[in-house]
Amino acid sequence: QVQLVESGGGLVQAGGSMRLSCAASGRTFSNYAMGWFRQAPGKEREFVCAISRSGGSTKYADSVKGRFTISRDNAKNTVYLQVNSLKPEDTAVYYCAAKTSFYSSWYSFTGVEYWGQGTQVTVSS
């Protein structure tokens, strides 16, 4: 089992920034590729970005490229999401997720084994 706990969400004005964190415990963190997803009110959960086990490879949804940055610190068992130039449409609950294969599709949630409980990000206009 892997337990994932997100933190760092809150209320921010459009154009602002924040850093989300996801702390993992349980099994070896470096055995898992990590991803961030989000779910806005009334919408389906969607892929945001992902990072490979070593941190050497990343993937981003087109909607966040150039604004969001995913990183990880395997020594601290933590994955981060730096979110910049926030827009009201970024308002959502943000979830981190873990799976063993970075290269399988993240858009269909294929292989996601563990989910965090989510952290709310609200961007005011």
Side-chain angles (χ1 to χ4, degrees), residues 2 4 28-37 47 49-53 59 72 96-115:
V2 173
L4 302 174
T28 305
F29 179 66
S30 58
N31 285 348
Y32 294 89
M34 299 298 297
W36 286 95
F37 293 77
F47 168 71
C49 57
I51 190 166
S52 61
R53 299 179 193 182
K59 299 181 181 182
R72 67 188 295 162
C96 67
K99 65 176 185 175
T100 53
S101 174
F102 172 75
Y103 296 101
S104 60
S105 173
W106 288 86
Y107 287 91
S108 62
F109 308 161
T110 301
V112 172
E113 297 180 46
Y114 303 103
W115 293 94

Side-chain angles (χ1 to χ4, degrees), residues 39-44:
Q39 188 166 16
K43 295 188 176 181
E44 295 186 349

Side-chain angles (χ1 to χ4, degrees), residues 38-46 89-93:
R38 67 185 181 186
Q39 188 166 16
K43 295 188 176 181
E44 295 186 349
R45 190 171 299 189
E46 65 175 2
E89 52 263 42
D90 294 318
T91 295
V93 177

